[in-house]
């Protein structure tokens, strides 16, 4: 009977809850509280599919739905809607505390906080990731507003628009507690960024020292982690690009891509995948390239925001690659795998939270990425140190091998040198003997050479004498006998030989200038002419000879003198013309000049005819070989 009454009572209570829906629960503030969250029946939610409802519209609306206790915090289900949240507050009569309202998720594009003034009208304060930072009532990375509470319960409204699945993490705090919490939070964030910057600087110095690419890739990876952390916790918008809210969305969407690319390049270099796992290295390159292409395609065309679930695939492949490298005996993967485990878990939390899969709001979830990064940075520092230690050990081992090889080479060199010295000594003795023999042979050859040289000199002297004798004989015969023109041309083959003969004949006893009687001369302007070095008088070899002002070939003229002289002037001009192939008139004129010179020379000279026809060449009124004495 008792059980039936209890069941009936429970059934009636359940019917009463079904018939009479729960109402918004008013939150009472008292001095014993300093920090509380708004969730469950303390909130009412209204989805505005048009995003055009105003505070007047929602104030009178009966479409608000009480938030359930699961999940703990409400969140944006449809990113194209505007969400209105209503809650009610009242303060105890004897409370002297100031209260603030805070939304802990800084990634909401636009948040409008409506509070009633003393006249009952609602005032609006704005903040948001897509709004200028200066619009915020508090210069804080989160959205913070003052609460004008009193003992009468008042309703407050919050309008939210965002392109992400942000949770509604609403907190009511006293001003003192908010200040305490904010200072500690910024202090811890400062430590975090300090650690990141110190590690970046340290690895830059290591890179400058060791010149290994993996360290500069690690620096780029750390800087990308800083960028994504600045975008995630809101401090970047507060301190760096506060005047450019348009960068928030761009950095929030692109920083994960930068993190993926930088971490992949660093991991590939650290694990040496190209050498240890070449096939998996190519697969990882293909996966990263595919993700990058899909990332930009999603931003430009699709806008499905599916890139966050796909974001985890390359990290899984890298984690699997580290395990395989460790199994293959790659010692450097030990610390890397431990540190990456923390990083991998933090990235999973980050991806699930940004994609709306989980809506936890505790400090470990919100700052999971920062916590994972700190652990990873610390452990990877050991990994880098271990890498340096391994490289140093391998370097020392290679140096020991090199030293051992150098010692072996030194021993081998000494052995080879000793053998070479022995062979050099033997060879030196042989060469000395050969040199002695060669010296003896050289002495004999030198004596023979000197004898041959002496005999050659004697032969050359005899040949020169013989040639001169032959030439003199031929010349003498030409001078006194009758020869043909061909044989005559061998003695006087051209004009040059004729002019040279005239010059030697004319000045055989020395030169004296006909103008100033000076005896020094130089070469004149014509062939074999002589010029006085004092008065510059130029005298040609034909001047004052029978050939002066000659109009035809001087070789033929020489031969004509020979013919006329040999025939004692009895050869006719016709015969001369036929022999010399000259005009008869020319032959008659010059032969007449020759016979006249013969008569003049015979009249003025009593010398014997030893010079032959050459004595008639010069002017018969002058002594032979010189000028007329004054």
């Amino acid at each position: 009977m008792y059980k039936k009454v209890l069941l009936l009572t429970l059934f009636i209570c359940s019917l009463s809850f079904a018939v009479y829906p729960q109402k918004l629960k008013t939150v009472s503030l008292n001095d014993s509280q300093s920090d509380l969250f708004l969730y469950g029946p303390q909130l009412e939610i209204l989805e505005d599919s048009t995003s055009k409802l105003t505070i007047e519209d929602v104030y009178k609306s009966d479409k608000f739905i009480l938030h359930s206790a699961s999940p703990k915090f409400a969140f944006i289900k449809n990113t194209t809607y505007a969400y209105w949240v209503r809650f009610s507050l009242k303060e105890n009569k004897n409370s002297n505390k100031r209260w603030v309202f805070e939304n802990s998720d800084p990634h909401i594009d636009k948040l409008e906080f409506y509070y009633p003034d003393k006249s009952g009208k609602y005032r609006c304060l704005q903040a948001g990731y897509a709004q200028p930072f200066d619009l915020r009532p508090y210069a804080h990375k989160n959205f913070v507003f003052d609460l004008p509470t009193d003992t009468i319960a008042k309703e407050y409204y919050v309008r939210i628009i965002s392109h992400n699945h942000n949770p509604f993490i609403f907190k009511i705090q006293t001003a003192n507690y908010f200040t305490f919490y904010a200072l500690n939070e910024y202090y811890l964030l400062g430590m975090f960024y300090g650690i990141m910057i110190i590690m970046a600087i340290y690895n830059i110095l290591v890179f400058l020292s060791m010149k290994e690419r993996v360290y500069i890739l690690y620096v780029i990876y750390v800087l990308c982690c800083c960028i994504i952390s600045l975008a995630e916790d809101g401090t970047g918008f507060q301190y760096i690009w506060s005047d450019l809210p348009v960068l928030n969305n761009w950095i929030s969407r692109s920083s994960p891509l930068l993190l993926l690319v930088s971490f992949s390049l660093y991991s590939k270099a650290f694990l040496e995948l190209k050498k240890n796992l070449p096939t998996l290295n190519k697969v990882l390159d293909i996966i990263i390239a595919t993700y990058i292409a899909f990332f930009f395609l999603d931003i430009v065309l699709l806008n499905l925001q599916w890139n966050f679930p796909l974001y985890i695939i390359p990290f899984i492949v890298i984690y699997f690659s580290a395990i395989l490298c460790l199994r293959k005996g790659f010692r450097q993967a030990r610390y890397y795998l431990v540190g990456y485990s923390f990083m991998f878990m933090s990235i999973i939390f980050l991806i699930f939270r940004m994609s709306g899969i989980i809506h936890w709001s505790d400090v470990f979830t919100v700052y999971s990425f920062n916590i994972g990064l700190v652990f990873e940075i610390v452990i990877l520092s050991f990994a880098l140190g271990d890498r340096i230690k391994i490289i140093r050990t391998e370097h020392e081992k290679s140096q020991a091998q090199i030293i051992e090889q150098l010692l072996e080479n030194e021993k081998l060199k000494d052995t080879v040198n000793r053998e070479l010295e022995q062979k050099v000594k033997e060879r030196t003795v042989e060469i000395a003997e050969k040199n002695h023999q060669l010296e003896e042979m050289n002495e004999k050859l030198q004596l023979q050479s000197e004898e041959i040289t002496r005999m050659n000199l004697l032969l050359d002297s005899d040949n020169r004498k013989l040639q001169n004798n032959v030439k003199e004989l031929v010349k003498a015969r030409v001078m006194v006998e009758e020869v043909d023109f061909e044989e005559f041309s061998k003695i006087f083959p051209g004009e040059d030989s004729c002019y040279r003969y005239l010059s030697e004949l004319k000045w055989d006893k020395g030169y004296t200038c006909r103008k100033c009687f000076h005896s020094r001369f130089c070469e004149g302007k014509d062939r074999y002419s002589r010029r006085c070095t004092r008065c510059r008088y130029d005298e040609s070899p034909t001047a004052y000879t029978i050939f002066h002002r000659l109009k035809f070939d001087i070789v033929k003229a020489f031969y004509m003198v020979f013919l006329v002289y040999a025939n004692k002037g009895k050869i006719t001009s016709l015969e001369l013309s036929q022999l010399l192939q000259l005009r008869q008139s020319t032959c008659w004129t010059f032969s007449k000049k020759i016979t006249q010179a013969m008569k003049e020379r015979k009249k003025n000279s009593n010398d014997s005819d030893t010079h032959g026809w050459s004595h008639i060449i010069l002017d018969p009124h002058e002594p032979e070989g010189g000028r007329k004495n004054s």
Side-chain angles (χ1 to χ4, degrees), residues 545-548 588-598:
T545 67
I546 198 172
F547 302 110
H548 186 57
W588 183 85
T589 302
F590 192 67
S591 64
K592 186 177 180 180
K593 190 175 181 180
I594 296 170
T595 54
Q596 185 65 29
M598 290 172 60

Side-chain angles (χ1 to χ4, degrees), residues 185-199:
E185 186 178 22
Y186 279 108
Y187 175 75
L188 294 174
L189 287 173
M191 290 180 61
F192 166 75
Y193 289 113
I195 293 172
M196 301 293 284
I197 293 172
I198 289 172
M199 291 306 303

Side-chain angles (χ1 to χ4, degrees), residues 357-396:
I357 298 175
I358 60 174
H359 306 282
W360 304 338
S361 61
D362 55 274
V363 66
F364 294 104
T365 305
V366 174
Y367 291 106
S368 61
F369 185 73
N370 303 68
I371 296 170
L373 274 180
V374 170
F375 277 102
E376 185 201 27
I377 291 299
V378 172
I379 296 173
L380 285 183
S381 300
F382 289 104
L384 291 173
D386 185 60
R387 177 184 176 87
I388 295 174
K389 181 180 178 181
I390 292 172
I391 292 173
R392 184 178 300 168
T393 302
E394 293 177 352
H395 182 66
E396 291 175 354

Side-chain angles (χ1 to χ4, degrees), residues 197-211:
I197 293 172
I198 289 172
M199 291 306 303
I201 295 174
Y202 168 74
N203 281 276
I204 288 175
L205 296 177
V206 174
F207 168 74
L208 295 176
S209 175
M210 301 190 67
K211 306 298 183 184

